[in-house]
Amino acid sequence: MMQEYLKLLPAIHHLQKHASTQKLMNKHQIDLETITIYLKEHLAFIRNIIINNQWSGIDPRSQKFYRLYFSNVNLMLKKQFLSPLQPVINASGTVLHTNLGRSRLSEPAIAEVVRVARNYSNLEMELSSGKRNSRHEIVENLLKDLTGAEAAMVVNNNAAAVYLILKALAKNKEIIVSRGELVEIGGSFRIPNIMEESGAKLQEVGTTNKTRLKDYENAINHETAMLMKVHRSNFEITGFTESVERDEICQLAEARQLISYENLGSGTLFDFSQQRIGHDVPVHKVIASGVDIVSFSGDKLLGGPQAGIILGKKSLIDKLKTHSLARVLRVDKLTLAALSATLITYKKGTAAVKEIPTIRDIIISEEEIKDKVKYFVNELCTQHLDIQLYLKRGRSTIGGGTMPGVMIPTILVGFSIKGYSAAEIYKRLCENRIAIIGKVHQDTFWLDFRTVDVKDITTIAKIIEMEFSTTNESVDQ
């Protein structure tokens, strides 16, 4: 019987001419040569099943065979041409979730990226003269206006910014840093290691918990090029501690004709302290303190795209712009489009800034979150769900290596479903075509609606209904 089934399998040229093949080519926008690869692959898979006596007995000449065959080829194509990057609904309550891409862009930034991507642009051309121009100028004036800095440039992330600054301004020279600021951030990025790679020499001063101005003064010698301050963006040191303020470091650097540099990690243009959230000093106040050069990320508290923003004295920024690494680390037109739109939003004032998703999610009130929770509960149809819902107050985190220890009041929705552990609920929602990321605590799955857009609430409710319905009906999302 096995040999009979093998003989009855259709030839590839026959499958190529089948109407379903043309339909799949149109659906997935592929040519005959491409789809033939998958036609052959699935035919070989069926042949192997028959040889191993695992065939279900379907006649290869029947319509049922062809329906199953092309259905499976369609699934293969969907999987093959599905983008590796998928949208995710973040219900974890962590606003800047590094694993989920940190900041979401504002609507104006998204529109600007699409506009620039669709057209040619004046990326490196001065339109009034037709001459070549520098892409640095696209956002430099915006950054100068917003921060009061003399000059600015942008590279592809803050790690790159740190490396460029150290390489261009302190190679083969000493940089003095407090031991309490020799931080490690995500991806094992360590300040001492990046210094070594840049060719700069690290001079540690003070202790982990206490560093005084005198420690910096005593360490300065003819090899010293820079006094560096690193913001502890992802941890806190509390208790018996002492550190040197930035204005003191700036004054000492100026008196000794050294460069003062502060790596802010996640600099902010919005004063969150006015909302009683954290103590991060806005970038314009850091610049006003007299620091020579500053760097920070664009995709953290700023709420823009991934970028490393460098601000400071014009003489220093000019050196960075002309360094050979500047071209290696430069950003593309889409990053500049998103960043410029984000910065323009800041220029429009506080009302506009609150429409930046990162800012909005951090400062949203408990009452507004409660409204979203009520909406979700009303949208969730429990007719075919064996579910228990729990509501309680909780704490959201900022995340992304920012504002360590800052916890913001929120409202949590927890649920348990008969027959599923909290871990199983997490896994099924995470693996859904539209993934929902919540959190598990004490064998309950929790959703934090701080980070959930109102437009996604109905989607969450429908997915839960479809995934855990007691009717066990298979529903194609």
Side-chain angles (χ1 to χ4, degrees):
M1 195 64 182
M2 179 185 72
Q3 291 299 324
E4 288 299 315
Y5 282 138
L6 289 174
K7 289 178 182 178
L8 293 173
L9 288 176
I12 287 295
H13 71 269
H14 175 72
L15 292 169
Q16 287 175 323
K17 295 175 182 177
H18 198 280
S20 295
T21 296
Q22 188 61 54
K23 288 179 181 178
L24 289 177
M25 288 168 60
N26 294 338
K27 180 179 179 179
H28 296 282
Q29 296 182 312
I30 55 177
D31 57 24
L32 182 62
E33 183 179 357
T34 301
I35 199 170
T36 299
I37 295 170
Y38 299 96
L39 295 174
K40 288 180 178 178
E41 183 178 329
H42 193 50
L43 196 63
F45 174 75
I46 293 172
R47 187 176 288 110
N48 189 55
I49 287 177
I50 294 172
I51 291 171
N52 287 293
N53 292 315
Q54 295 174 331
W55 184 241
S56 61
I58 299 172
D59 189 335
R61 296 167 297 184
S62 67
Q63 289 299 315
K64 184 178 181 180
F65 171 85
Y66 282 97
R67 282 199 306 271
L68 288 172
Y69 176 84
F70 284 108
S71 176
N72 287 333
V73 171
N74 180 45
L75 290 174
M76 292 169 67
L77 293 170
K78 283 174 70 175
K79 184 177 180 180
Q80 187 67 28
F81 299 117
L82 186 69
S83 172
L85 274 174
Q86 294 296 308
V88 168
I89 297 175
N90 176 15
S92 71
T94 301
V95 179
L96 296 172
H97 199 307
T98 299
N99 295 350
L100 303 183
R102 292 183 182 157
S103 287
R104 291 176 296 144
L105 294 178
S106 65
E107 290 303 320
I110 293 167
E112 185 66 3
V113 169
V114 173
R115 189 176 74 91
V116 170
R118 184 175 284 135
N119 300 283
Y120 290 102
S121 63
N122 59 325
L123 179 65
E124 292 190 348
M125 177 181 281
E126 184 180 70
L127 296 179
S128 60
S129 66
K131 295 180 179 178
R132 183 164 184 166
N133 201 5
S134 170
R135 69 179 64 195
H136 294 304
E137 295 185 15
I138 292 171
V139 294
E140 183 169 26
N141 286 333
L142 287 166
L143 286 166
K144 286 163 61 178
D145 290 345
L146 288 164
T147 66
E150 288 183 12
M153 70 177 292
V154 178
V155 291
N156 55 16
N157 59 34
N158 190 46
V162 175
Y163 183 71
L164 175 61
I165 290 167
L166 300 184
K167 185 83 171 178
L169 304 180
K171 184 180 178 182
N172 298 324
K173 293 287 186 177
E174 285 187 2
I175 300 175
I176 300 176
V177 186
S178 167
R179 283 189 173 88
E181 296 174 0
L182 294 175
V183 304
E184 175 180 322
I185 61 173
S188 300
F189 176 85
R190 294 180 173 181
I191 291 296
N193 293 350
I194 205 70
M195 282 188 180
E196 184 179 352
E197 289 291 335
S198 72
K201 302 172 186 176
L202 170 64
Q203 177 63 53
E204 303 174 34
V205 296
T207 62
T208 301
N209 61 319
K210 284 208 171 201
T211 303
R212 301 179 178 88
L213 187 63
K214 201 71 177 175
D215 295 319
Y216 289 90
E217 291 175 338
N218 292 339
I220 294 172
N221 60 63
H222 68 282
E223 291 290 323
T224 306
M226 181 182 292
L227 304 184
M228 182 177 179
K229 188 170 181 62
V230 182
H231 185 58
R232 299 189 194 113
S233 56
N234 59 357
F235 72 100
E236 287 183 305
I237 298 177
T238 60
F240 189 59
T241 65
E242 186 177 346
S243 60
V244 183
E245 298 297 326
R246 69 169 55 86
D247 58 344
E248 295 179 281
I249 290 178
C250 292
Q251 290 167 15
L252 177 60
E254 184 178 13
R256 299 295 188 92
Q257 296 183 313
L258 303 173
I259 298 168
S260 57
Y261 164 43
E262 182 162 0
N263 173 19
L264 289 172
S266 54
T268 176
L269 299 182
F270 183 85
D271 193 349
F272 288 100
S273 65
Q274 291 187 356
Q275 306 287 326
R276 298 181 180 178
I277 300 173
H279 306 285
D280 284 43
V281 177
V283 175
H284 72 273
K285 292 184 178 179
V286 176
I287 293 294
S289 71
V291 66
D292 293 323
I293 197 160
V294 170
S295 70
F296 56 95
S297 295
D299 61 342
K300 292 186 179 181
L301 292 178
L302 184 73
Q306 177 180 296
I309 298 171
I310 307 173
L311 308 170
K313 301 289 174 60
K314 187 176 185 304
S315 59
L316 299 177
I317 300 294
D318 285 346
K319 286 183 180 179
L320 301 182
K321 288 178 179 177
T322 56
H323 195 277
S324 57
L325 277 177
R327 184 175 179 84
V328 176
L329 305 175
R330 71 181 185 177
V331 293
D332 73 331
K333 62 183 179 182
L334 301 185
T335 300
L336 290 170
L339 182 57
S340 62
T342 303
L343 296 174
I344 288 170
T345 299
Y346 276 98
K347 287 196 73 174
K348 290 180 178 179
T350 304
V353 169
K354 289 179 180 178
E355 293 306 309
I356 294 175
T358 297
I359 309 295
R360 186 177 65 234
D361 288 352
I362 291 174
I363 68 174
I364 187 174
S365 68
E366 279 188 82
E367 284 302 313
E368 291 172 292
I369 298 172
K370 193 177 294 183
D371 288 340
K372 290 198 282 187
V373 168
K374 289 177 182 176
Y375 181 26
F376 167 72
V377 173
N378 289 334
E379 286 290 295
L380 185 65
C381 178
T382 58
Q383 183 179 356
H384 300 296
L385 290 173
D386 197 341
I387 188 171
Q388 292 284 333
L389 290 177
Y390 317 96
L391 271 64
K392 72 173 185 178
R393 296 185 71 195
R395 292 283 185 271
S396 302
T397 56
I398 310 300
T402 68
M403 295 191 188
V406 174
M407 307 293 284
I408 322 172
T410 191
I411 307 295
L412 301 173
V413 178
F415 57 88
S416 55
I417 299 174
K418 187 177 180 180
Y420 299 92
S421 68
E424 288 170 334
I425 294 171
Y426 179 94
K427 187 173 188 295
R428 288 194 68 160
L429 292 179
C430 192
E431 292 177 347
N432 195 276
R433 192 182 71 177
I434 302 174
I436 301 169
I437 309 298
K439 53 189 175 183
V440 175
H441 180 63
Q442 295 181 343
D443 202 33
T444 301
F445 181 78
W446 297 93
L447 300 172
D448 186 338
F449 281 84
R450 173 179 294 279
T451 48
V452 175
D453 274 350
V454 172
K455 64 179 176 59
D456 292 326
I457 290 176
T458 300
T459 302
I460 295 174
K462 296 303 179 189
I463 288 172
I464 292 171
E465 291 167 24
M466 288 188 289
E467 282 291 326
F468 303 105
S469 172
T470 54
T471 61
N472 293 319
E473 292 178 354
S474 177
V475 182
D476 185 11
Q477 297 167 30

